[in-house]
Amino acid sequence: MALIRRKWTPAAADEWTREDWITIVLSPLAYITLAIGVALSIFLLKIGFIVLGAGVVLTALMHWVIDPKLKTISEDYEKKQKDYLEELEKIIRWEEIK
Amino acid sequence: MVQFVFLDWLWIVFFLALMIGCGVLFYRLGKRSESDFFLAGRGLPWWLPASSVYATHTATDTPMWITGVIYQHGLAGIWYTFFSAWCAISAFVSTRIFRRSLAYTQAEWQSLRFGGLGSELLRGWLAGWQVFMNMFILGWVGIAMGKVCNYMFDWPVWVGLICFSSICAIYVLSAGYWGVIMADFQQGIIAFAAIIIVSVWGVIAAGGPQAIVTGLADLGQSWRLNPFHFSGWLSGDFPGAWFITMLVIALIGGFGMGTSIDWYAEAQRIQSARTVRDASYSIWWGTALVVVRNSIWAAAILGFFVLFPNIQEASEYELGWFRLGLDFLPAGLLGFFFAAILAIHLSTISTHLNLGGMYATRDIYHHYINPEAPEKRLIWVGRFTTLLLLLGSFVFGLMMEEITKWLIFALWIMAAGVWLPNILQVIWWRFNAWGYLSAWIANLGLSWLVVWVLPAFRVIPEMPDYLQFWALMVLTALIYLPVTFLTRTEDMDHLVKYYVMSRPIGFWGPVRREAERRGLLEQVTHIE
């Protein structure tokens, strides 16, 4: 079994999996490194360029990990969306209230 | 006072014509349905709501307070702006869950997540609170524009407040969220360009990057380049404990809904995205731009510090970034700079006008007053409530000096004691409407006690704000947890329906098993 899954069935993509947790860790790290990296790079400090580079790599890695799963979730969900929207309109008109 | 030449005025007239043109151009799309007027028909590619996330969170007062914290604390002050990083986790957790719910608003989501009387009470409360909050934010941001115009042109503050919010209302009233999002896209580009131009100009005015580093060293202020320079772990005005608390609030808050005041505006952008994936990327990339923008500002402010190192008055150094633009940009570019100030102002105003109008229309008028209202009527109600918000914001703005302290306290109420319940409602099936409602009520009383009453009577010492946060979190839990366990679970049919639609993260075992027993979940098959 590969560490990062690249092909998903709709049912498997709906589950919360290791790929989500890796993204949850990478995403804040990307923000932190981008924030520090940009500021220090403007002062042409070497550490700034290194941290900024790390931020770009983390961002790319995060997208690589999560994008196939998000695509599958989206494609599957859009098929069901029309029915859900009809239900939502019933709720606002009190037709679903028991 | 700033002197404009012909070219400066030309920039401003051109920009305003462009913005109002949006309203006229998208008028027909905006009036098609309630969904179009408030969510642009739920069909936007990720980069449009992303630019709106960025533009909305760049307001007239934003450069002032960022300048304030960077001038005071050096680069470490950037963490004050890092509360926006709640989107780091939210983009892939609560954004996904909320987008799948399809709720127009957070108030509407309450009636999907919870059921019965409790959910209706929550929906009504959140809708009313959000109408109020949007009016308050409009007043707050509006008066900041009044002050900028007063500084630049010596106009009375009410002129800047009323004049530009009213111009903005033209395209919001005409095209609703279509106008907001299309104008935000242009405003985002203009504002980002101006932030880079002015900041680079400021850095050059301070002698360039190397000169700033050397200048700080000469002043004995090199610590200002250290993003982790704190006043101690627990001591001083900027301790490490505050930093850790901020990280917890911002990052863990991403698992919940409503853990940040910005959630309510982002929720609208999430629902306007055409797919779950677009929603996630719109929130992530919009906030990434905010994070990068803050860093660019921070570098420019350090340049400002080297130029003017001994300013004591906060009201004076808070205008630092504006001064970089106004004092150092050449004539002709000043108008572009002011057009950018207008861009960051209008983007925030337009968002909150439409957002407040959506809560008033969707959750109050449509749900409680006229459930059978036709689409045409709903759009007119949307326009009418938008106008009421605009007028209310003028009143708020003009009395802001007197009420700011009270209302910042009101914002704090939103953040502290209900922070954990905002997460629990997403991740824990057993948390019910009564638990959430009791958390709000308990927090209302406890925050008064912890922040003001008990310290005033010397029952407890006055605590720093990060300790108040932890105290309020624990104290409110002592009330809402017993309430949750002593009241009934939500109806299982309702929970199963919500679970199958939204697929929430966390502790949903009993609901999942029930959904599986009913054959509502597909079997997971592994493809490698």
Side-chain angles (χ1 to χ4, degrees):
Chain A
M1 192 175 164
L3 180 67
I4 304 296
R5 193 171 179 175
R6 306 287 296 157
K7 290 181 180 172
W8 295 89
T9 60
D14 272 347
E15 304 293 328
W16 293 93
T17 61
R18 182 171 47 211
E19 286 75 8
D20 295 302
W21 290 104
I22 292 171
T23 305
I24 284 166
V25 172
L26 291 179
S27 175
L29 287 175
Y31 276 176
I32 290 169
T33 46
L34 286 174
I36 297 171
V38 167
L40 294 179
S41 295
I42 293 173
F43 297 115
L44 306 177
L45 297 173
K46 195 173 161 188
I47 184 73
F49 293 115
I50 294 169
V51 176
L52 180 59
V56 173
V57 170
L58 285 168
T59 303
L61 186 62
M62 181 191 78
H63 278 73
W64 184 79
V65 169
I66 202 66
D67 196 55
K69 189 175 185 188
L70 281 179
K71 271 184 186 159
T72 310
I73 293 172
S74 294
E75 282 164 16
D76 182 55
Y77 184 78
E78 300 323 304
K79 292 174 199 159
K80 305 170 189 164
Q81 183 163 307
K82 193 167 167 278
D83 291 340
Y84 286 139
L85 278 172
E86 279 172 13
E87 267 189 48
L88 199 68
E89 292 311 306
K90 283 181 185 170
I91 290 172
I92 202 161
R93 292 185 164 84
W94 298 87
E95 290 170 21
E96 288 289 293
I97 303 297
K98 291 175 183 172
Chain B
M1 203 171 129
V2 178
Q3 294 295 330
F4 274 10
V5 296
F6 175 74
L7 186 60
D8 293 317
W9 289 114
L10 198 67
W11 277 114
I12 294 162
V13 171
F14 172 72
F15 172 73
L16 288 176
L18 195 70
M19 292 306 104
I20 297 168
C22 269
V24 179
L25 206 62
F26 291 95
Y27 168 72
R28 285 187 180 280
L29 287 179
K31 70 172 187 171
R32 287 189 305 193
S33 65
E34 187 183 26
S35 163
D36 275 288
F37 196 77
F38 291 120
L39 297 176
R42 298 179 188 269
L44 300 177
W46 68 268
W47 48 272
L48 269 174
S51 64
S52 183
V53 167
Y54 165 75
T56 297
H57 298 304
T58 314
T60 328
D61 62 331
T62 319
M64 292 185 198
W65 72 265
I66 291 183
T67 304
V69 292
I70 299 293
Y71 194 91
Q72 224 181 328
H73 302 292
L75 207 50
I78 209 166
W79 303 119
Y80 271 101
T81 71
F82 210 67
F83 282 101
S84 57
W86 63 270
C87 295
I89 291 176
S90 170
F92 303 104
V93 180
S94 53
T95 292
R96 189 194 301 179
I97 298 165
F98 185 74
R99 175 59 179 74
R100 292 178 64 132
S101 79
L102 297 171
Y104 273 63
T105 64
Q106 184 60 29
E108 184 162 35
W109 183 84
Q110 302 297 324
S111 59
L112 299 171
R113 166 63 179 86
F114 305 116
L117 177 64
S119 80
E120 294 303 330
L121 289 174
L122 278 171
R123 185 172 190 166
W125 155 248
L126 271 185
W129 174 252
Q130 276 304 302
V131 171
F132 165 79
M133 280 307 298
N134 280 290
M135 206 182 279
F136 161 60
I137 293 167
L138 285 164
W140 182 338
V141 176
I143 203 68
M145 189 63 192
K147 285 176 183 172
V148 169
C149 291
N150 176 264
Y151 176 78
M152 290 181 73
F153 309 115
D154 217 14
W155 296 347
V157 284
W158 65 267
V159 176
L161 164 71
I162 291 175
C163 177
F164 295 111
S165 293
S166 301
I167 288 171
C168 180
I170 294 172
Y171 65 83
V172 181
L173 287 167
S174 307
Y177 187 69
W178 275 108
V180 174
I181 207 88
M182 292 305 173
D184 271 1
F185 181 63
Q186 303 165 46
Q187 287 157 358
I189 293 171
I190 292 168
F192 204 79
I195 287 166
I196 290 175
I197 290 170
V198 174
S199 298
V200 168
W201 221 278
V203 168
I204 292 168
Q210 300 284 12
I212 293 173
V213 175
T214 324
L216 287 171
D218 292 344
L219 290 164
Q221 302 281 327
S222 288
W223 60 267
R224 288 179 181 272
L225 284 169
N226 179 2
F228 297 103
H229 181 86
F230 300 109
S231 55
W233 274 109
L234 295 169
S235 57
D237 62 344
F238 194 36
W242 175 90
F243 173 68
I244 290 165
T245 305
M246 179 281 297
L247 278 184
V248 170
I249 293 174
L251 300 180
I252 307 301
F255 284 95
M257 294 180 189
T259 50
S260 158
I261 183 72
D262 294 338
W263 165 262
Y264 299 90
E266 309 318 16
Q268 188 182 23
R269 273 120 202 95
I270 290 166
Q271 291 301 356
S272 68
R274 66 183 167 196
T275 67
V276 176
R277 178 172 175 264
D278 286 279
S280 287
Y281 288 162
S282 70
I283 295 302
W284 199 90
W285 278 103
T287 307
L289 275 179
V290 170
V291 166
V292 168
R293 173 208 71 190
N294 293 344
S295 296
I296 295 171
W297 260 334
I301 299 314
L302 286 179
F304 177 77
F305 179 85
V306 170
L307 286 168
F308 307 99
N310 296 314
I311 305 175
Q312 299 300 323
E313 287 295 317
S315 58
E316 204 182 324
Y317 63 67
E318 277 177 356
L319 286 169
W321 186 77
F322 285 110
R323 280 186 61 185
L324 286 178
L326 299 172
D327 294 355
F328 295 104
L329 282 181
L333 264 184
L334 272 180
F336 176 72
F337 181 49
F338 187 67
I341 295 173
L342 280 180
I344 61 180
H345 178 64
L346 298 191
S347 62
T348 309
I349 294 291
S350 63
T351 288
H352 290 286
L353 280 174
N354 188 254
L355 184 65
M358 179 164 71
Y359 276 94
T361 307
R362 178 76 181 175
D363 292 302
I364 297 175
Y365 180 80
H366 194 176
H367 189 55
Y368 293 116
I369 298 173
N370 189 357
E372 299 299 329
E375 295 288 333
K376 201 174 173 185
R377 162 94 45 106
L378 290 170
I379 290 155
W380 277 108
V381 170
R383 288 187 175 129
F384 178 69
T385 52
T386 303
L387 191 62
L388 283 183
L389 276 152
L390 178 74
L391 297 175
S393 76
F394 296 157
V395 178
F396 265 122
L398 292 171
M399 58 191 281
M400 199 53 81
E401 296 295 333
E402 291 81 44
I403 62 173
T404 295
K405 199 176 172 190
W406 285 79
L407 288 169
I408 286 175
F409 173 70
L411 284 175
W412 185 233
I413 285 174
M414 269 199 79
V418 289
W419 179 82
L420 189 55
N422 280 332
I423 296 172
L424 291 177
Q425 65 175 346
V426 175
I427 67 165
W428 186 30
W429 77 279
R430 181 62 182 82
F431 197 54
N432 61 16
W434 301 111
Y436 189 50
L437 205 55
S438 66
W440 272 97
I441 296 166
N443 188 48
L444 200 68
L446 286 169
S447 47
W448 278 86
L449 284 174
V450 170
V451 179
W452 278 349
V453 180
L454 295 180
F457 286 97
R458 297 177 193 280
V459 179
I460 58 170
E462 210 162 290
M463 290 185 278
D465 53 7
Y466 69 90
L467 274 183
Q468 286 173 356
F469 171 81
W470 292 111
L472 282 169
M473 197 176 87
V474 171
L475 289 172
T476 47
L478 294 175
I479 293 172
Y480 67 73
L481 284 178
V483 170
T484 302
F485 285 115
L486 289 171
T487 48
R488 293 175 56 184
T489 57
E490 297 292 338
D491 175 59
M492 190 51 89
D493 286 345
H494 191 89
L495 286 175
V496 166
K497 194 185 278 186
Y498 169 75
Y499 182 84
V500 172
M501 177 168 68
S502 297
R503 299 306 293 271
I505 198 169
F507 308 99
W508 286 82
V511 183
R512 185 192 170 94
R513 283 191 289 279
E514 181 61 21
E516 282 173 342
R517 194 185 66 76
R518 297 181 187 190
L520 295 171
L521 296 181
E522 288 176 43
Q523 289 299 309
V524 175
T525 52
H526 293 280
I527 297 175
E528 297 298 337

